Amino acid sequence: MNTLRIFYRLSQPFWRQRSQWPAWLMLAAVIGLGLLVVRINVLINSWSKTFYDTLSAFDTAALYGLVGEYTLYLAAYVLIFVSLDYIRKGLVLRWRQAMTGRLVDAWLADQAFYRLGLTGEPDNPDQRIAQDVDVMVDLSVELVASLVINLAQVGAFLVILWNLSGVQTFSLFGETYTVHGYLVWIVLGYTLFGSVLTHCIGKPLHRLNYEREHREADFRASLLRKRDHAEQIALYRGEAVERQQLLQRFAAIAENWRQLMGRERDLGLFTVAYQRLSLIIPVFAALPAFMAKAITLGGLMQIRSAFNAVHDSLSWFIKLYHKLVRWSAALERLDQFERAITASRRTANPAPQGDCLCTQGLTLCRPDGSVLLDDVHLRAQHGQWLRLAGRSGLGKSTLLRTLQGLWPYCQGDWQLPGGRSLLLPQKPYLAHMSLRSLLAYPQLAPFDDGLLREVLSKVGLGALGGRLDDEQEWERVLSGGEQQRLGLARALLYKPDTLYLDEATSQLDLASARALLQMLRRELPACTVVGVSHQDGLAGLFERTLELAKAPQMA
């Protein structure tokens, strides 16, 4: 029941939207076409009795007519089945697009993706958004539609099987018993037995499939990290360590795979035997009536067809058990992810806005609650340049992130100035995109090419002016100093009201760093700048310096 509650909570935002009425039509079409398939199966069941009776009578002329009739059934079945599959895939795509968009929005909203990393986020959020959503949506549509269709098929063929069973009388311990619809009771008992035993054997598959997704995602993420840090690994010549780590990750996959193989082998031994035995049970059950000539060969074949149709539908749980455990594992992972995002928002600590940037008794803590910086007092007027100084590791970068509204573990009174703010870290973020888009980041609207070339020239990257449309892994193409120059170019284009510099020129020589910061001051004269830098030669560019320490400080 908990799995169903999770499914309802995850799916209802999509299905309750008024704009998703096409999805309801598509679902109705899938179920309606499935019911047509059931109707064709009923017609084929009736056809099979006539065919085998005609075959036993050697009525050649009638056989040709029956073959033509079956051809029509077959053509209709193929057309309906292909249409059903096409519409089902369209519904899956529509639902997946909506759910992926909702999860991405929730993950990115209010810097939840950042705060999750501070508190120990659920493993591999990328895999949960990309793969678990796909598994959940695809299997949800398949399971719901197939359940409705199979219930309809049970209803249709149970009536046929009941009528074909007739009334059976037998004696046991001197007592005479009369059973109506005995074939129905046989198929119900056989299917119930198979379902219970299938669940008992296959129950551990839920945990194993959950672990499989986890370990596969860990391995992929580890491969990506090696690629992202290829240069550092090569400089250290750390190939042996990286190889060992990758093999350990894959060893975890292999161990999980072996456990899955063993459990699926045990389940397969039962289910394959169960399915094969079900093909002959109706023949043996109806054989006495056939030998007594109470039914014809066609009647025997009709009983077999109806019995197998009922059994096949009632075995929905058994046939789809391996998909059910994958589905439930994906639901659990998505539920954990959504709950973690919701919990991360509780740590948000937005600061009020005012006419200046100032703090009063601000205390910064680590996620475990220990104090990082205590009783910080600072004030930066509009357009002022303020430098934060102090020993390495004291918490200066954390203070910048707090002032930017990112660090939630803080107490005290503070306010941030209005307008736009931008933080330039020591290592700029360089996504795989065109240079034009990279310079405009974090804005969506493009800039004029002439302006982009002008800004590149101002920061010493004029040689890149002809490569605005190039899509490169710029993190590999540009040196550390060039990356920081590009970060300063972003500031020139973005024109923030408040700019935070976190060692933003540390990869540049002192003369270049001074020249760039002086240019930044000329280009953005009204911008308030709060910076952290261990380049002592830059201190004179800042109007004030705040020495941070454990004791209270004033600036």
Side-chain angles (χ1 to χ4, degrees):
M1 290 304 295
N2 186 53
T3 299
L4 293 178
R5 281 194 293 269
I6 293 173
F7 171 67
Y8 175 78
R9 192 182 67 78
L10 291 174
S11 60
Q12 58 93 15
F14 172 77
W15 291 102
R16 292 181 65 177
Q17 290 181 34
R18 290 179 179 272
S19 61
Q20 294 302 340
W21 61 265
W24 283 102
L25 286 180
M26 296 169 80
L27 180 61
V30 168
I31 293 174
L33 290 171
L35 296 179
L36 283 178
V37 170
V38 173
R39 177 58 182 164
I40 291 176
N41 287 335
V42 170
L43 293 173
I44 291 176
N45 176 263
S46 177
W47 172 90
S48 66
K49 180 182 186 305
T50 306
F51 177 78
Y52 283 104
D53 283 341
T54 304
L55 187 64
S56 63
F58 297 96
D59 188 348
T60 306
L63 281 174
Y64 286 128
L66 289 169
V67 169
E69 183 181 347
Y70 185 80
T71 303
L72 291 176
Y73 293 150
L74 179 61
Y77 182 91
V78 170
L79 180 61
I80 293 170
F81 187 83
V82 172
S83 300
L84 185 155
D85 186 60
Y86 182 81
I87 296 173
R88 185 192 68 82
K89 289 177 179 177
L91 176 58
V92 168
L93 177 60
R94 187 181 185 90
W95 189 0
R96 185 183 177 189
Q97 280 182 315
M99 189 168 183
T100 300
R102 181 170 63 83
L103 274 181
V104 168
D105 288 345
W107 185 51
L108 295 178
D110 302 320
Q111 290 84 41
F113 64 96
Y114 175 75
R115 293 192 178 90
L116 282 173
L118 301 176
T119 57
E121 65 184 356
D123 63 272
N124 307 293
D126 55 316
Q127 186 256 5
R128 297 185 188 230
I129 294 174
Q131 185 171 328
D132 288 334
V133 170
D134 181 33
V135 171
M136 176 210 153
V137 170
D138 190 23
L139 291 183
S140 293
V141 174
E142 179 182 350
L143 294 172
V144 170
S146 64
L147 178 60
V148 173
I149 293 167
N150 277 279
L151 287 174
Q153 182 153 295
V154 166
F157 280 94
L158 268 180
V159 174
I160 296 173
L161 190 61
W162 182 277
N163 293 330
L164 291 173
S165 300
V167 180
Q168 295 293 321
T169 303
F170 62 94
S171 298
L172 183 65
F173 303 114
E175 296 289 336
T176 300
Y177 297 91
T178 300
V179 179
H180 295 267
Y182 77 102
L183 291 172
V184 172
W185 302 115
I186 291 175
V187 72
L188 290 175
Y190 184 66
T191 307
L192 178 62
F193 165 76
S195 299
V196 171
L197 203 53
T198 295
H199 181 62
C200 291
I201 298 172
K203 188 176 181 180
L205 286 172
H206 172 86
R207 176 184 56 82
L208 292 173
N209 274 279
Y210 182 96
E211 278 300 312
R212 177 188 176 185
E213 301 295 343
H214 179 190
R215 297 181 186 187
E216 291 280 4
D218 280 349
F219 183 63
R220 288 193 301 272
S222 186
L223 288 169
L224 287 173
R225 281 193 291 272
K226 306 298 180 281
R227 186 174 182 276
D228 290 342
H229 299 90
E231 182 178 4
Q232 294 93 322
I233 293 170
L235 291 173
Y236 275 108
R237 298 194 182 279
E239 293 86 354
V241 175
E242 302 300 332
R243 182 178 184 276
Q244 182 184 52
Q245 187 189 58
L246 288 174
L247 291 178
Q248 287 174 346
R249 295 282 192 192
F250 193 80
I253 293 175
E255 175 59 27
N256 172 261
W257 189 258
R258 280 190 287 269
Q259 293 180 37
L260 270 170
M261 287 169 56
R263 184 56 59 174
E264 289 178 346
R265 175 204 59 208
D266 296 343
L267 184 61
L269 286 172
F270 170 72
T271 56
V272 172
Y274 172 83
Q275 293 292 346
R276 297 307 301 178
L277 185 58
S278 68
L279 298 177
I280 198 65
I281 283 181
V283 176
F284 286 153
L287 198 57
F290 178 72
M291 297 302 292
K293 297 184 179 181
I295 58 174
T296 62
L297 176 62
L300 180 63
M301 293 299 102
Q302 188 181 20
I303 287 174
R304 179 184 179 185
S305 175
F307 185 97
N308 286 332
V310 173
H311 169 263
D312 189 62
S313 296
L314 290 176
S315 299
W316 176 86
F317 178 78
I318 299 170
K319 291 186 302 177
L320 298 179
Y321 192 85
H322 64 290
K323 292 186 177 182
L324 284 166
V325 293
R326 282 191 66 209
W327 178 69
S328 62
L331 286 173
E332 183 176 342
R333 290 174 60 80
L334 289 172
D335 181 60
Q336 289 176 347
F337 186 50
E338 278 207 337
R339 290 183 185 278
I341 291 174
T342 302
S344 74
R345 292 205 178 96
R346 301 191 193 107
T347 66
N349 196 7
Q353 291 192 346
D355 58 353
C356 69
L357 189 157
C358 58
T359 69
Q360 185 74 24
L362 180 64
T363 299
L364 306 185
C365 300
R366 298 181 179 87
D368 62 6
S370 59
V371 175
L372 188 62
L373 275 175
D374 187 32
D375 199 24
V376 177
H377 298 254
L378 67 82
R379 187 180 186 88
Q381 297 293 343
H382 180 68
Q384 197 172 57
W385 281 47
L386 172 65
R387 176 173 171 260
L388 303 179
R391 62 179 176 81
S392 179
L394 185 65
K396 300 185 295 297
S397 295
T398 304
L399 177 56
L400 288 185
R401 281 150 181 75
T402 304
L403 297 177
Q404 176 70 341
L406 294 177
W407 190 258
Y409 308 105
C410 53
Q411 299 174 351
D413 296 323
W414 74 99
Q415 71 173 23
L416 305 180
R420 302 198 300 179
S421 64
L422 182 67
L423 191 153
L424 297 185
Q426 183 174 6
K427 186 174 177 60
Y429 171 60
L430 304 180
H432 186 91
M433 57 178 64
S434 69
L435 182 58
R436 177 182 288 102
S437 300
L438 203 66
L439 286 166
Y441 193 88
Q443 296 189 128
L444 292 174
F447 290 97
D448 178 73
D449 287 2
L451 177 60
L452 293 178
R453 293 189 180 95
E454 180 185 346
V455 167
L456 284 173
S457 179
K458 286 179 179 179
V459 298
L461 297 176
L464 296 178
R467 303 179 62 183
L468 294 177
D469 291 318
D470 286 7
E471 289 192 15
Q472 300 281 345
E473 293 188 53
W474 295 103
E475 191 176 55
R476 295 171 181 262
V477 173
L478 302 179
S479 67
E482 289 173 326
Q483 292 180 37
Q484 290 190 331
R485 289 175 186 270
L486 194 146
L488 293 170
R490 283 174 170 167
L492 292 178
L493 292 166
Y494 191 68
K495 299 186 184 304
D497 298 285
T498 306
L499 179 63
Y500 302 96
L501 302 176
D502 186 7
E503 298 287 357
T505 60
S506 60
Q507 298 291 316
L508 298 167
D509 62 86
L510 183 59
S512 297
R514 284 184 61 87
L516 284 168
L517 290 184
Q518 287 170 343
M519 180 271 298
L520 194 67
R521 188 157 195 170
R522 289 194 306 271
E523 296 292 329
L524 303 175
C527 180
T528 303
V529 176
V530 180
V532 171
S533 175
H534 287 98
Q535 295 172 290
D536 293 333
L538 302 180
L541 299 176
F542 293 83
E543 296 163 292
R544 301 163 65 194
T545 295
L546 172 63
E547 288 287 343
L548 295 172
K550 291 292 183 182
Q553 296 289 318
M554 282 293 297

